[in-house]
Amino acid sequence: MKLTLHVGLPKTATTFVQHTLSAEKVRLAEAGVVYPSDSLVHHDLPKLVEQVAAGRGKYRRKLDTLLAGFAGEVAASGRTHVLVSSEYLIETPPSALALLDDKL
């Protein structure tokens, strides 16, 4: 499995890129790339990982539920390349990125 993270600073057209990727999901799939349909993956995932990494265990269940849905969509697609876009990843601390890497 290959994971590509598109990380953009806020106010640098990241939302435009996300809308364009979403509009081109079929073409991306034809090229072997899954762009998750759930905007929670692109927005809430970095925030949840950061909360869990900081020891706020009450967010673990929500993170696990989000990741399970994400994993199900990827598995159902049969693709081997996943693309996630989030402006929130730019501010994610290393400990949270390590947790995200471990979870994915």
Side-chain angles (χ1 to χ4, degrees), residues 45 61-75 103:
L45 180 61
R61 187 174 187 182
K62 187 172 182 180
L63 174 62
D64 290 344
T65 300
L66 178 63
L67 287 173
F70 175 62
E73 182 176 354
V74 171
K103 289 284 190 179

Side-chain angles (χ1 to χ4, degrees), residues 24-43:
E24 297 296 329
K25 281 179 63 91
V26 172
R27 290 172 85 183
L28 287 167
E30 290 169 354
V33 178
V34 177
Y35 185 72
S37 57
D38 192 345
S39 67
L40 294 175
V41 171
H42 306 287
H43 297 272

Side-chain angles (χ1 to χ4, degrees), residues 13-33:
T14 305
T15 302
F16 174 77
V17 170
Q18 291 166 346
H19 287 296
T20 302
L21 291 169
S22 185
E24 297 296 329
K25 281 179 63 91
V26 172
R27 290 172 85 183
L28 287 167
E30 290 169 354
V33 178

